[in-house]
Amino acid sequence: MKRIKLVVAYDGTNYCGWQIQPNADTVEKVLNDKLSKLLGEEIKIIGASRTDSGVHALGNVAVFDTDSTIPGDRFSYALNTLLPDDITIQDSCEVEKDFHPRHCDTRKTYEYKILNRQFPIPSKRFDSYFFTYSLDIDVMKDAAKYLVGEHDFKSFCSARTQTETTVRTIYAVDIYKRDDVVSIKVTGNGFLYNMVRIIAGTLIQAGTGHYEPIKVKEMLDSNDRTLAGPTAPPEGLTLVEIQFL
Amino acid sequence: MKRIKLVVAYDGTNYCGWQIQPNADTVEKVLNDKLSKLLGEEIKIIGASRTDSGVHALGNVAVFDTDSTIPGDRFSYALNTLLPDDITIQDSCEVEKDFHPRHCDTRKTYEYKILNRQFPIPSKRFDSYFFTYSLDIDVMKDAAKYLVGEHDFKSFCSARTQTETTVRTIYAVDIYKRDDVVSIKVTGNGFLYNMVRIIAGTLIQAGTGHYEPIKVKEMLDSNDRTLAGPTAPPEGLTLVEIQFL
């Protein structure tokens, strides 16, 4: 028996998120089905991040145990031949038997992409949120700096969050514009339910002049979800990378 | 009666190209149907470029005549509310009644995108061609320089080409890599059937070392389609812009 780690990329458009649930297509279900078919064993993967319905990934991580003799680095090739076009394995390797992707210290990076122009571009409709009103990037950067550091992010998570503590550390929020796409890249030690999408919704409101950047500090201090901005739609969000420390 | 010009963007993935044909979804058909519905007249647009099945556009151009009193610049807004997500109007304006998008001197720019890495990325599968073998960009640039200028491009067009002459002028071929995507951007006064995709297929073969850059000159001189590279797949190709001179 050995434990294999997969780095998984997916276009979440047609999935009800990562986590298995009855009567729904999920990324976890597809991976379990294809791995079980490939290996002739019943495989149940453990995922690092349970991304939401419609959210994408370049580097989500999952592990599973198998008796297979396939070398760790060959699972990516073998599995990609079975997977649909909207899920691909980017890397695979054998890891320690006790490696658990949710019980490690991690550094996760998410990117939220906003297509900011007069009219939508069809080719970008699946992986960015179309927003037509002009965004002031400098104001967004000013607002974002209050989020960096260790804070209680209770105002920036959905009421559905179930965790012992809502304190998290954000290491960096980088905001930049390339062509018509504004990217908000957030790196932290962990994220609460809907946290990155609420950060994006809040920074978008700052960028349109809806409120002053300093307001973000008040939102954090209030511990009141109703004071932060709206939850931005899922199509703009991608889980870029998970580093295990 | 007035003539309206539209700048049209589309994701060509689900269309059998631009031009109307029986029993197939085409961009021209959708535009005619939606314009006719919007205006209560039977509208038949005239397109500038009849892009192929699966090819995309950011800036194809079409014109139509109407008795409507809608101001020229409002057609983009009105039409976008009726169009499917994979077609959007980027601009609209009134033009001279004798403006014909295929009887003008133009400068057209196409971009061919190659996702060049070990494994595909799901979010890029609709607008780039996945190619796993390593490409040498500098060699591709060397090969491309022989294409610039006025040449007979008979070796670089499909046998289905029906034109008086196969002489065209290419003003520039720019090749660059951004993240994992190699872009080939070609600007010319006109392009023959499949010409950009054959250029892309040829430059990809140069980039893998399949032949020396100077070979491209021999291909041009030969006027023999069988000597140039293969026709690269349609999903990598986007008609970026048409300038009317």
Side-chain angles (χ1 to χ4, degrees):
Chain A
M1 181 74 78
K2 60 187 173 187
R3 180 159 282 199
I4 302 294
K5 175 184 157 203
L6 303 173
V7 177
V8 190
Y10 45 89
D11 171 351
T13 307
N14 294 318
Y15 293 100
C16 297
W18 173 273
Q19 193 173 10
I20 281 194
Q21 47 180 297
N23 306 316
D25 285 332
T26 67
V27 179
E28 186 178 18
K29 180 178 188 306
V30 172
L31 288 170
N32 280 348
D33 289 351
K34 299 301 182 188
L35 275 167
S36 299
K37 185 178 168 189
L38 174 70
L39 301 171
E41 308 169 54
E42 195 191 337
I43 301 290
K44 291 196 173 175
I45 59 169
I46 305 168
S49 275
R50 296 169 183 142
T51 56
D52 253 1
S53 186
V55 170
H56 320 293
L58 287 173
N60 204 344
V61 167
V63 300
F64 64 95
D65 295 322
T66 178
D67 291 319
S68 165
T69 55
I70 299 176
D73 66 337
R74 304 310 295 174
F75 280 92
S76 47
Y77 295 91
L79 201 47
N80 280 338
T81 63
L82 297 175
L83 286 169
D85 282 352
D86 53 8
I87 304 178
T88 58
I89 307 302
Q90 299 294 314
D91 192 30
S92 62
C93 63
E94 191 173 341
V95 288
E96 294 295 317
K97 287 191 176 59
D98 62 349
F99 173 80
H100 188 295
R102 285 201 302 276
H103 302 162
C104 293
D105 284 339
T106 57
R107 203 180 160 95
K108 293 185 183 180
T109 301
Y110 281 88
E111 182 174 14
Y112 196 92
K113 285 194 270 195
I114 305 152
L115 179 64
N116 187 35
R117 64 200 304 280
Q118 190 177 14
F119 295 115
I121 295 179
S123 64
K124 296 195 191 291
R125 72 193 185 284
F126 294 126
D127 77 339
S128 61
Y129 164 49
F130 171 67
F131 187 78
T132 193
Y133 303 102
S134 180
L135 291 172
D136 187 324
I137 307 297
D138 291 329
V139 170
M140 292 172 75
K141 286 180 183 173
D142 279 351
K145 72 182 183 211
Y146 297 104
L147 298 167
V148 177
E150 186 183 88
H151 301 286
D152 187 335
F153 284 96
K154 197 168 180 353
S155 308
F156 287 81
C157 69
S158 155
R160 287 170 59 191
T161 298
Q162 294 171 317
T163 51
E164 286 176 34
T165 165
T166 47
V167 173
R168 294 289 183 280
T169 299
I170 288 185
Y171 302 116
V173 184
D174 292 319
I175 302 175
Y176 54 92
K177 188 166 184 170
R178 199 153 91 165
D179 301 331
D180 296 318
V181 178
V182 176
S183 282
I184 302 170
K185 221 166 183 173
V186 190
T187 302
N189 65 351
F191 293 92
L192 302 163
Y193 191 66
N194 281 164
M195 180 167 153
V196 184
R197 286 166 57 190
I198 297 169
I199 288 175
T202 302
L203 295 180
I204 289 168
Q205 286 199 331
T208 58
H210 196 78
Y211 39 65
E212 296 295 310
I214 184 76
K215 192 78 196 294
V216 171
K217 185 173 162 27
E218 293 169 35
M219 291 173 186
L220 274 173
D221 293 344
S222 71
N223 287 344
D224 178 355
R225 169 69 188 96
T226 66
L227 293 188
T231 307
E235 65 268 24
L237 187 61
T238 300
L239 169 55
V240 175
E241 191 187 12
I242 305 174
Q243 288 180 277
F244 295 89
L245 307 175
Chain B
M1 181 75 78
K2 61 186 174 188
R3 181 159 282 199
I4 301 295
K5 175 185 158 203
L6 303 173
V7 177
V8 190
Y10 44 90
D11 171 351
T13 307
N14 295 318
Y15 292 101
C16 296
W18 172 273
Q19 194 172 9
I20 281 194
Q21 47 180 296
N23 306 317
D25 285 332
T26 68
V27 179
E28 186 178 19
K29 180 178 189 305
V30 172
L31 288 170
N32 280 348
D33 289 351
K34 298 302 181 186
L35 276 166
S36 299
K37 185 178 168 188
L38 174 69
L39 301 171
E41 307 168 56
E42 195 191 335
I43 302 289
K44 291 194 173 175
I45 58 170
I46 305 167
S49 275
R50 297 168 183 143
T51 55
D52 253 2
S53 186
V55 170
H56 320 293
L58 287 173
N60 204 343
V61 167
V63 300
F64 64 94
D65 295 322
T66 178
D67 291 319
S68 164
T69 55
I70 299 176
D73 66 337
R74 304 310 295 173
F75 280 93
S76 47
Y77 295 92
L79 202 46
N80 280 338
T81 63
L82 296 176
L83 286 169
D85 282 351
D86 52 8
I87 304 177
T88 58
I89 307 302
Q90 298 294 314
D91 192 30
S92 63
C93 62
E94 191 173 342
V95 288
E96 294 296 318
K97 286 191 176 60
D98 62 349
F99 173 81
H100 188 295
R102 285 201 302 276
H103 303 162
C104 293
D105 285 339
T106 57
R107 204 179 159 95
K108 293 185 184 180
T109 301
Y110 281 89
E111 183 174 15
Y112 196 92
K113 285 194 272 195
I114 305 152
L115 179 64
N116 188 34
R117 64 200 304 281
Q118 190 177 15
F119 295 115
I121 295 179
S123 65
K124 295 195 191 292
R125 73 193 185 283
F126 294 125
D127 77 339
S128 61
Y129 164 49
F130 171 67
F131 187 78
T132 193
Y133 303 102
S134 180
L135 291 172
D136 187 323
I137 307 296
D138 291 329
V139 170
M140 291 172 75
K141 286 180 183 173
D142 279 351
K145 72 182 183 213
Y146 296 103
L147 298 167
V148 177
E150 186 183 86
H151 301 286
D152 187 336
F153 284 96
K154 197 167 180 354
S155 308
F156 286 82
C157 68
S158 156
R160 286 170 60 192
T161 299
Q162 293 172 318
T163 51
E164 286 176 34
T165 166
T166 47
V167 173
R168 294 290 183 278
T169 299
I170 288 184
Y171 303 116
V173 185
D174 292 319
I175 302 174
Y176 53 92
K177 188 165 185 172
R178 199 153 91 165
D179 300 332
D180 296 318
V181 178
V182 176
S183 282
I184 302 170
K185 220 166 184 173
V186 190
T187 302
N189 65 351
F191 292 91
L192 302 162
Y193 191 65
N194 282 164
M195 179 167 153
V196 184
R197 287 165 56 190
I198 297 169
I199 288 175
T202 303
L203 295 180
I204 288 169
Q205 286 199 331
T208 58
H210 196 77
Y211 39 65
E212 297 295 310
I214 184 75
K215 191 78 195 294
V216 171
K217 185 173 163 24
E218 293 169 34
M219 292 173 186
L220 273 173
D221 293 344
S222 70
N223 287 343
D224 179 355
R225 169 69 188 95
T226 66
L227 294 188
T231 306
E235 65 267 23
L237 187 61
T238 299
L239 169 55
V240 175
E241 191 187 13
I242 304 175
Q243 288 180 279
F244 294 89
L245 307 173

